[in-house]
Amino acid sequence: ALLCRGMQASKNKNTDKAEPFYRLSVPKQKTSSEIINEARNVLRTLRTRRPFTPTEDQRKLFGSGSTRAPQNRPPSVFSLHASSFDLAESRPVSGVRLSPLDHKPVLVTFAKDEDSSISLPKPPADAAEVRKVSSARARLFRRTSQGNFLSAKMVSPDQNEEKLDSEEPAMMSNLCRSNDNCLAEQRSYTPFNDENRQLICNERISRSEREDFRKGTAGKFLFQLRGESDQIKKPGRSSSWPRSTGWKRRVTGLEDETRINESEEEEIFWHIKILPILHELEKIEDNIENLCLACTKLYQALNEGNMLGKRFKRRSVLLKTLYKLVDIDSDPLCLKLAKIILAMKVDGKNLLSVCKLAFKICRNEKNDYIIQNDRLFDCLLEVLRTEDLQKSNEALLYCMGAIKFMSGNAVLLNEMVNKGAVEMLLQLMKQINNIKENDTYFSNLGHLLVQLTATLRNLADLPPARRQLICNGAVSELCVALEQRMNAKDVCTYIVRIFSKLSSYNDFCAALADCSRCYDLFLALLNKHQKQQDLVIRIIFILGNLTAKNNQAREQFFKEKGSVNTLISLFQTYRELDLNAQKWYHERGGEGKKRPKHPSEAEDVLIKLIRVLANLSIHPSVGAALAAAHRVVELLVTVLEYKSVDDSEELVISAATAINNLSYYKVKSSAVQDKKLHIAEILLKLLMSNNMDGVVEAVRVFGNLSQYHEICDFIIQKKIYKFMIALLDAKNQDVCFSACGVLLNLTVDKNKRALLMEEGGIGKLVDCLRDFGPADWQLACLICKTLWNYSENITSAASYFGEDTDTFLVLLTSLLDEELALDYSLDRDLRDYNKLYWEREFKPVAEKLLDRIQSHHSFLPTVTITPF
């Protein structure tokens, strides 16, 4: 390490180049202990706080910092009424017309003794026949309303089948009379004859099934026909109904019959289950609580009857009723309505209106609790999953805005992660990224991307979401969005905020470092938005994280075109801003006032910027290049010139650390070397401050600079060496280590070795060896090397070590005893490292030092050695 560069052995008389104290016969490749020692002595990365992002005072579609002109973006506040919905779009979707078959169907004939009375239905031959079928169905439902559905006269073709109980018609009649108003229709009565009945069903109902219907479980009864048709369409599926009840299905015309049966089931379910609830909604308009309960029942009934979605005959009637209720100004009720309307799969204007309705509800933070209990998120996620990006981009915008508001709540945020929101949002981002800039939808989709990235930023706080982001390739998609939306500051800000959060974690930071184009993107953003502090500070923070532990990232960023020039330009810009702010502060009489605790915005940028420079300088070739960059060193020096550690602690210490790292490199054109005396004079102010972190950083710089004779003379002239000896009493390993490094370099000069005797320096070094030796073999080795240099021309141990001679000899003897010195209570890895360093670094130096002192000491008392 450079702190030890000036150490020399007494036998080595080479004056052209100072040699290490003791050269080990080890391979040229560095050992782990050498690497750790070097890192501790000289090069250090910097840590800093992540930029603070204040929470918005109000939930808005676009935040207060948005640069989008109000006239060019959708509004956050709007009025919403029943008239906002379009009934024309509420009609059910007609069935898909099937292509005709290429072959004639083969009809199945039955044996005469088996169901000989069954006549197979034939397709209508003409329009009159079609009208006949339709009128038959109409007569069926009119008869149903009169209580004669499946009357006792309906018998099965099976000769042994018994008639239905006489109580069946009465039961149906009672059910229908209870909903008389719901079922009234302006149609004439037509008897329900055998021909019509044959179009509907030819089956018998068991007693147990009639009992189920009477008890209210009509669903099972109503959907038996559908179950039967499903079984026929899906071979191999076991029937859920007993074969012993005598249910039979015609073989031909299954699709037509199933359609008729499903329609009649839907009609019956509508009249029995749905209509009463709709009438209930019309009667209790003044009671919000009852309306909410009725909406809950309605959703459950629709779900039970498989009526959610588009393929529902009376969908328009249902939606019309719900739309009217939107005019009632109640968020709990509108939440219920939005959930049902979304579940009905509306589109067009209605989809936009209901998404606005959901947005309006979620915008009020007080509604978070009721939203948690009503699972609105499931419906909104389904909209994102199914709707066309270009056709419904405005509806998706408000849908995504509602989800963004939900993500501001911790409970809802966890629910979103658990339900696959991360993967869904990344898929949506991928679709947006596929839209090119010349596309007409590109600009509008930028509004949607703002909501999406803001939501991902909130999700990034959760560890499960972070893992999902990594696994689903979020880095790549975010970089694509960043590249395409370089001119959209709000999109860039949200993406950079995501990276700022996630790059603090090693796994995501490694994934980001592997994305080679991210460095170029960050530099482009810095050059484009140089004075946008909130954007700049986060990009610089990300770069600091990338270069903190990854040597490849340091090299890759440095090699990007204009990387160093961009950093210098930013440094100059924000230094000027900081100087102006400081000047304004003093002009306003701020000297007597207490300085703010946190750094100013400009100062915070400088802190993060210096951190990047300090981290980059750890790479050998990059560090050497930066040490030769005079403008970089000049800017760092100016920080120490106009800032005090009392007012700007983090900034000053960061600048000192960066200078310390650059001072490590011995290159011909080193700017640090050119300015070394000026730097030493500036550091003197920091050295004499009351800030111990600042003192230690200044001592580290002096440790590197003291390899130059001019700096050693400066240290003697300014009595700095006395300060270094005093620091040995600090009872802090790092402080003692740094101070001992300076003293070691001073002892290279024979004329300066006697200074160790002043201020009790020898005794303090021995005390440090005793206090920290067994726990810190690096420090122990450094102390022994210092004393070796000091005692190079020893003639008498007593004259060099005085009264500390005997104590020092006993201490060295015990530290060289492996069983006493090595702490085997440590874990294996740490124990192995300690033993390695003890054997390779400390032991050779200590043995030679012990031998030298003993050879010049006339008497060695017998002392009992105790373990440490």
Side-chain angles (χ1 to χ4, degrees), residues 365-381:
E365 194 172 347
K366 296 178 181 178
N367 292 332
D368 284 355
Y369 179 74
I370 60 173
I371 293 171
Q372 292 174 26
N373 298 326
D374 232 315
R375 301 180 67 179
L376 177 64
F377 174 72
D378 294 351
C379 300
L380 296 176
L381 195 63

Side-chain angles (χ1 to χ4, degrees), residues 2-185:
L2 277 180
L3 285 175
C4 305
R5 188 193 66 83
M7 296 179 298
Q8 56 186 1
S10 58
K11 294 181 181 180
N12 191 338
K13 302 300 181 181
N14 187 348
T15 57
D16 296 331
K17 183 179 179 182
E19 293 293 333
F21 161 78
Y22 189 77
R23 191 182 299 277
L24 295 174
S25 56
V26 293
K28 291 183 179 180
Q29 184 177 0
K30 290 183 180 179
T31 64
S32 59
S33 62
E34 288 174 323
I35 294 171
I36 294 172
N37 185 34
E38 178 179 318
R40 174 178 175 179
N41 288 348
V42 185
L43 305 179
R44 298 191 309 115
T45 58
L46 283 173
R47 289 186 176 184
T48 187
R49 294 182 299 271
R50 183 165 58 84
F52 173 70
T53 303
T55 306
E56 292 282 350
D57 295 335
Q58 293 180 328
R59 292 181 174 182
K60 297 179 181 179
L61 193 62
F62 299 95
S64 56
S66 176
T67 56
R68 295 171 186 265
Q71 65 271 20
N72 296 331
R73 69 188 192 196
S76 293
V77 180
F78 43 78
S79 59
L80 202 62
H81 307 286
S83 58
S84 305
F85 294 86
D86 185 4
L87 288 177
E89 295 180 1
S90 304
R91 296 169 183 168
V93 178
S94 59
V96 178
R97 187 179 298 276
L98 301 178
S99 302
L101 298 175
D102 294 334
H103 66 281
K104 295 182 179 180
V106 178
L107 300 181
V108 179
T109 58
F110 296 91
K112 290 184 178 181
D113 57 342
E114 291 185 2
D115 300 334
S116 58
S117 62
I118 296 178
S119 59
L120 298 175
K122 300 177 181 179
D126 51 24
E129 190 66 22
V130 173
R131 286 194 297 274
K132 181 178 179 182
V133 174
S134 299
S135 63
R137 292 183 64 212
R139 287 195 298 275
L140 164 67
F141 295 121
R142 280 196 294 275
R143 174 64 70 116
T144 302
S145 67
Q146 299 297 322
N148 292 326
F149 176 63
L150 297 178
S151 67
K153 293 181 181 180
M154 294 175 62
V155 296
S156 168
D158 192 337
Q159 297 300 321
N160 296 325
E161 177 182 349
E162 61 183 43
K163 293 184 178 181
L164 298 173
D165 292 345
S166 59
E167 63 197 42
E168 177 90 12
M171 181 271 293
M172 282 300 299
S173 178
N174 290 337
L175 278 174
C176 296
R177 277 197 298 272
S178 66
N179 299 303
D180 212 25
N181 294 331
C182 307
L183 305 176
E185 297 178 60

Side-chain angles (χ1 to χ4, degrees), residues 7-13 21-22 747 750 753 783-798 800-801 805 808-809 812 816 844-858 860:
M7 296 179 298
Q8 56 186 1
S10 58
K11 294 181 181 180
N12 191 338
K13 302 300 181 181
F21 161 78
Y22 189 77
T747 59
K750 297 178 180 180
R753 291 170 182 170
I783 292 171
C784 289
K785 288 177 179 180
T786 303
L787 294 174
W788 172 266
N789 283 358
Y790 164 73
S791 62
E792 181 182 9
N793 298 318
I794 188 172
T795 55
S796 168
Y800 271 74
F801 294 95
T805 305
F808 184 45
L809 289 172
L812 275 180
L816 287 168
V845 180
E847 284 180 339
K848 285 189 170 291
L849 182 59
L850 178 62
D851 183 61
R852 172 185 283 178
I853 297 174
Q854 286 178 339
S855 64
H856 293 86
H857 189 45
S858 57
L860 181 63

Side-chain angles (χ1 to χ4, degrees), residues 251-498:
V251 179
T252 59
L254 285 177
E255 291 183 0
D256 289 340
E257 184 176 346
T258 301
R259 196 177 304 117
I260 293 172
N261 287 335
E262 288 180 348
S263 178
E264 70 190 36
E265 293 165 10
E266 188 178 279
E267 289 283 344
I268 295 170
F269 195 88
W270 167 265
H271 288 296
I272 294 175
K273 289 280 190 176
I274 307 300
L275 264 181
I277 301 176
L278 295 184
H279 280 277
E280 188 179 345
L281 288 171
E282 293 175 354
K283 292 176 183 177
I284 55 176
E285 286 188 2
D286 296 333
N287 191 318
I288 300 300
E289 185 177 351
N290 289 339
L291 282 172
C292 290
L293 290 173
C295 284
T296 301
K297 289 193 295 183
L298 178 61
Y299 182 87
Q300 292 171 348
L302 290 169
N303 188 45
E304 177 188 346
N306 199 23
M307 293 179 175
L308 297 173
K310 292 186 176 182
R311 309 184 69 84
F312 171 36
K313 184 178 179 180
R314 298 183 183 269
R315 182 169 173 266
S316 61
V317 178
L318 171 68
L319 288 172
K320 183 177 180 180
T321 304
L322 298 177
Y323 295 157
K324 289 179 180 178
L325 295 175
V326 173
D327 285 334
I328 301 176
D329 189 17
S330 167
D331 283 351
L333 175 60
C334 285
L335 175 61
K336 302 284 185 182
L337 296 173
K339 183 180 176 182
I340 300 173
I341 295 171
L342 285 169
M344 297 305 295
K345 307 292 184 187
V346 295
D347 53 20
K349 181 181 178 182
N350 291 338
L351 177 62
L352 173 59
S353 296
V354 73
C355 286
K356 283 186 172 182
L357 184 62
F359 175 87
K360 181 172 173 284
I361 296 164
C362 296
R363 188 173 60 202
N364 188 346
E365 194 172 347
K366 296 178 181 178
N367 292 332
D368 284 355
Y369 179 74
I370 60 173
I371 293 171
Q372 292 174 26
N373 298 326
D374 232 315
R375 301 180 67 179
L376 177 64
F377 174 72
D378 294 351
C379 300
L380 296 176
L381 195 63
E382 185 64 19
V383 171
L384 296 184
R385 184 178 289 113
T386 57
E387 291 301 322
D388 182 80
L389 183 63
Q390 300 182 13
K391 180 182 176 183
S392 307
N393 68 83
E394 190 175 1
L396 289 173
L397 169 68
Y398 286 102
C399 174
M400 195 67 244
I403 292 175
K404 178 186 73 175
F405 294 152
M406 288 183 185
S407 68
N409 178 279
V411 176
L412 291 170
L413 193 63
N414 278 284
E415 179 187 346
M416 291 167 66
V417 175
N418 294 335
K419 292 184 176 178
V422 173
E423 186 176 359
M424 183 65 245
L425 295 182
L426 288 177
Q427 289 176 1
L428 183 61
M429 179 179 285
K430 189 172 184 178
Q431 293 179 44
I432 296 173
N433 288 342
N434 288 334
I435 306 296
K436 302 306 176 186
E437 192 171 357
N438 56 0
D439 195 290
T440 54
Y441 292 97
F442 183 82
S443 178
N444 288 337
L445 290 177
H447 303 320
L448 175 58
L449 198 57
V450 172
Q451 315 306 314
L452 196 158
T453 50
T455 307
L456 284 177
R457 169 185 163 268
N458 292 338
L459 286 165
D461 286 322
L462 301 180
R466 188 176 76 247
R467 289 191 291 269
Q468 291 177 30
L469 286 167
I470 296 173
C471 294
N472 288 286
V475 171
S476 176
E477 291 303 328
L478 288 168
C479 284
V480 171
L482 202 59
E483 186 174 11
Q484 292 182 349
R485 307 284 171 170
M486 193 72 70
N487 294 320
K489 178 182 174 289
D490 44 6
V491 174
C492 294
T493 301
Y494 280 122
I495 294 176
V496 166
R497 283 177 176 174
I498 295 169

Side-chain angles (χ1 to χ4, degrees), residues 615-630:
N615 292 351
L616 285 172
S617 64
I618 294 175
H619 189 284
S621 60
V622 175
L626 290 175
H630 285 254

Side-chain angles (χ1 to χ4, degrees), residues 734-746:
D734 287 334
V735 173
C736 291
F737 188 90
S738 300
C740 192
V742 177
L743 296 175
L744 171 61
N745 286 339
L746 287 177

